[in-house]
Amino acid sequence: MADSEKSTKKDQQENELERLRDILYGQQARGTDAQLNKLNARIDALQAEMNSLVASLENKKVSRQALGAMLIELGERLQKDS
C-alpha cells in the first residue's frame, strides 16, 4: 500500500471518529463551548476594566482610601456577576 493510500485511509478514519464524537457528544460539547466562550468574554471585559483602573491610578495620585473603595466595589461586582 502506497504512502498516499495509507494517509488517505488514516484521514478517513479520523474523519469518521470525529463524526461519531459529534453524534455522541455534539450537543454537550457545543453547550460547554458556549459557556467557555461566555466566561472568556467576561474575563476579557474584567481584564480590560482592571487595566483601565490601573492606568487611571498611574496617571493620578489616588489615596489609599479611594483605592480601597474601588477594590471593594470591584469585588462586589465580581461576586454579583458570578
Side-chain angles (χ1 to χ4, degrees):
M1 194 180 279
D3 286 339
S4 63
E5 290 176 20
K6 287 180 183 178
S7 178
T8 302
K9 189 171 183 175
K10 184 177 179 183
D11 289 343
Q12 288 173 344
Q13 288 173 342
E14 288 176 3
N15 288 339
E16 185 66 18
L17 283 174
E18 187 62 36
R19 193 171 77 83
L20 288 172
R21 281 188 197 110
D22 189 46
I23 290 169
L24 294 173
Y25 304 111
Q27 186 64 35
Q28 181 181 359
R30 284 188 286 278
T32 301
D33 285 345
Q35 288 177 328
L36 289 174
N37 288 335
K38 187 176 178 180
L39 287 172
N40 283 331
R42 183 67 185 136
I43 288 169
D44 290 343
L46 288 171
Q47 187 174 17
E49 186 175 349
M50 287 178 55
N51 288 339
S52 175
L53 285 172
V54 168
S56 70
L57 292 174
E58 288 175 348
N59 292 332
K60 302 174 187 176
K61 289 208 170 204
V62 177
S63 70
R64 286 185 179 192
Q65 185 178 13
L67 179 58
M70 282 190 246
L71 290 173
I72 290 170
E73 179 184 346
L74 183 58
E76 288 171 351
R77 288 176 59 195
L78 286 172
Q79 286 179 348
K80 184 177 97 174
D81 288 344
S82 58

